[in-house]
Amino acid sequence: MNFSAPPPLNPWTTHSVEVVDVVPEILGVATYQLRFTDPLVRAAYSCVPGQFNMLYLPGVGEAAVSVSGHDVAGDAWLHTVRTAGGVTQTLAGLGIGGNLALRGPFGTSWPVERFPGSDIVFVAGGIGLAPLRPAVEWALDHGDRLGRITLLYGARSPGTVLFASQFDAWRDRGLCIDVTVDRSDPGWLGRVGVVTLLVDRLRPLAPENTILLTCGPEVMMRYVARAALDRGLSAEQIWVSLERNMQCAVGFCGHCQLGPAFICKDGPVFPYDRMAPYLNTEDL
Ligand SMILES: Cc1cc2nc3c(=O)[nH]c(=O)nc-3n(C[C@H](O)[C@H](O)[C@H](O)COP(=O)(O)OP(=O)(O)OC[C@H]3O[C@@H](n4cnc5c(N)ncnc54)[C@H](O)[C@@H]3O)c2cc1C
């Protein structure tokens, strides 16, 4: 995935996609590899790290899901989904070879390419690592343009660490990874505590030359941002990815409006200083 502008696929048109692979990740979460059935659409579609698609299950509904990567050939797109309600349960029941529809891509991107030479700190909580993964991959692919790249990750328990099998390969490519869990179990030898503590402990840190990108539960992102501000980062150096109930995905219906912004078209990735006053606001 790169940062070239996506082509203008009609945002209202759904396109048929096939489930070509399903990888169970942690309990209740799987990664679905989706490929457009129409080769012309397959060739035309592109997206940038941080963007999302609307997955449509006929007769059930639509849900926003972030792109969490792509296959080796670059023509099937990964979506890491927690089974929640109607759409995601139906998706989980499809299996390989199943069909659904997709429209997209939508939204803004993580700004990693805009800060050459900077240290990048990714802070993820739970399934929030999925929308960050394409940006982590991009940063590792372009490590020569960036400074130190760090991932701070918090999960509820050792069994819910997302993409854990990928961590050694990421470390080999130069990513500094620090993981913590809220509750340990007898086999866990790592850290215990909230992910904010990892921001407090982060060494070395050159605040003037660092950007921090965070995705996870909103309360986590607020505390992470506060910890980063305490460490000397300014609010403009912090980026968050927000979620709200989403319907049209093109800034038309107003369901995802938060303060002055529509999460679907002005976000989901925002500079923290823009959205900080609204982060306590509930869904409409
Ligand atoms: C920009 C964006 C990106 C997203 N990316 C992902 C992703 O990568 N993976 C993933 O699993 N989910 C993601 N989501 C969340 C996903 O869209 C919702 O969970 C969606 O409601 C699932 O649809 P459903 O029909 O299965 O469940 P629903 O029947 O819609 O909802 C099930 C339960 O989840 C609650 N809920 C609905 N929407 C949200 C929300 N946005 N945040 C928290 N709770 C919610 C409902 O109130 C209900 O209790 C994203 C949402 C947005 C806005």
Side-chain angles (χ1 to χ4, degrees):
M1 204 181 295
N2 60 38
F3 281 91
S4 59
L9 285 181
N10 184 335
W12 296 106
T13 305
T14 57
H15 301 281
S16 171
V17 289
E18 181 188 358
V19 181
V20 289
D21 197 16
V22 182
V23 176
E25 301 285 0
I26 53 175
L27 188 65
V29 177
T31 296
Y32 302 85
Q33 190 173 315
L34 306 180
R35 188 169 58 206
F36 292 101
T37 49
D38 180 341
L40 292 178
V41 178
R42 199 182 303 158
Y45 180 94
S46 171
C47 65
V48 292
Q51 288 194 301
F52 66 95
N53 291 315
M54 295 299 286
L55 302 187
Y56 173 54
L57 278 297
V60 185
E62 257 191 330
V65 178
S66 302
V67 178
S68 64
H70 56 73
D71 69 337
V72 178
D75 68 355
W77 298 91
L78 308 183
H79 297 74
T80 301
V81 182
R82 182 189 302 284
T83 304
V87 170
T88 49
Q89 279 170 17
T90 309
L91 175 65
L94 284 183
I96 295 172
N99 279 95
L100 63 150
L102 179 158
R103 62 190 175 98
F106 299 107
T108 51
S109 63
W110 296 109
V112 271
E113 91 295 0
R114 280 187 246 160
F115 297 92
S118 294
D119 292 344
I120 311 279
V121 180
F122 297 100
V123 186
I127 195 176
L129 184 53
L132 274 173
R133 183 166 70 168
V136 171
E137 292 284 353
W138 188 92
L140 294 177
D141 285 347
H142 298 84
D144 54 331
R145 295 192 210 165
L146 299 168
R148 187 182 164 92
I149 309 166
T150 304
L151 168 65
L152 308 179
Y153 180 68
R156 288 204 176 138
S157 63
T160 64
V161 175
L162 191 70
F163 305 144
S165 62
Q166 203 169 352
F167 286 5
D168 281 345
W170 277 351
R171 284 192 178 101
D172 289 347
R173 291 169 66 199
L175 184 65
C176 309
I177 307 182
D178 206 351
V179 180
T180 185
V181 296
D182 295 347
R183 287 183 313 279
S184 77
D185 64 21
W188 178 252
L189 300 173
R191 295 187 191 277
V192 178
V194 292
V195 73
T196 341
L197 296 174
L198 302 184
V199 180
D200 296 338
R201 290 190 191 123
L202 193 58
R203 301 276 185 287
L205 181 71
E208 69 289 348
N209 190 39
T210 297
I211 63 164
L212 183 145
L213 314 178
T214 183
C215 186
E218 206 161 289
V219 63
M220 179 213 91
M221 290 192 286
R222 279 197 283 123
Y223 281 103
V224 163
R226 197 175 298 175
L229 294 171
D230 287 346
R231 295 295 308 275
L233 271 73
S234 66
E236 304 87 63
Q237 293 168 280
I238 301 167
W239 299 73
V240 297
S241 183
L242 300 181
E243 279 188 17
R244 283 294 183 279
N245 178 9
M246 206 164 275
Q247 307 255 321
C248 74
V250 289
F252 198 68
C253 72
H255 276 86
C256 68
Q257 184 170 5
L258 184 58
F262 291 104
I263 304 293
C264 63
K265 71 175 181 60
D266 303 318
V269 177
F270 290 96
Y272 176 69
D273 57 335
R274 180 166 179 208
M275 297 310 282
Y278 309 103
L279 288 192
N280 284 322
T281 316
E282 301 236 332
D283 256 334
L284 290 178

